């Protein structure tokens, strides 16, 4: 597990947030999903990742990441 450092204090991230490091990027779900209560704040998270150059994959509701060996595809 790797700690996500406090690069985003305005969004409430602390050193207690951890990830498993199974992927080389962070997944940000619920992007551009009208009516979803977390869509707006997660859009801000994705923008913060873009600004800082953090590798991430935004997903809308219903999308998945399919991993097959070394390849990954958003469907």
């Amino acid at each position: 597990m790797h700690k996500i450092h406090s690069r985003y204090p305005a969004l409430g991230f602390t050193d207690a947030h951890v990830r498993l490091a199974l992927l080389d990027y962070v997944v940000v779900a619920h992007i551009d999903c009208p009516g979803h209560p977390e869509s707006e704040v997660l859009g801000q998270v994705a923008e913060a990742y873009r600004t800082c150059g953090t590798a991430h994959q935004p997903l809308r509701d219903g999308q998945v990441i399919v991993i097959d060996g070394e390849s990954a595809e958003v469907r």
Side-chain angles (χ1 to χ4, degrees):
M1 292 186 150
H2 297 280
K3 288 185 178 183
I4 297 175
H5 300 288
S6 300
R7 290 199 266 178
Y8 314 107
L11 298 174
F13 288 145
T14 68
D15 284 334
H17 290 83
V18 295
R19 60 185 180 95
L20 295 175
L22 298 174
L23 303 171
D24 293 337
Y25 50 88
V26 179
V27 175
V28 184
H30 310 301
I31 298 297
D32 298 326
C33 298
H36 193 286
E38 297 170 349
S39 186
E40 183 178 343
V41 72
L42 289 168
Q44 294 171 5
V45 169
E47 181 59 34
Y49 285 149
R50 275 190 290 280
T51 300
C52 291
T54 300
H56 67 287
Q57 177 61 60
L59 296 177
R60 293 184 306 274
D61 285 357
Q63 288 185 308
V64 297
I65 300 172
V66 177
I67 299 174
D68 184 10
E70 295 295 317
S71 68
E73 175 185 356
V74 175
R75 294 184 185 169

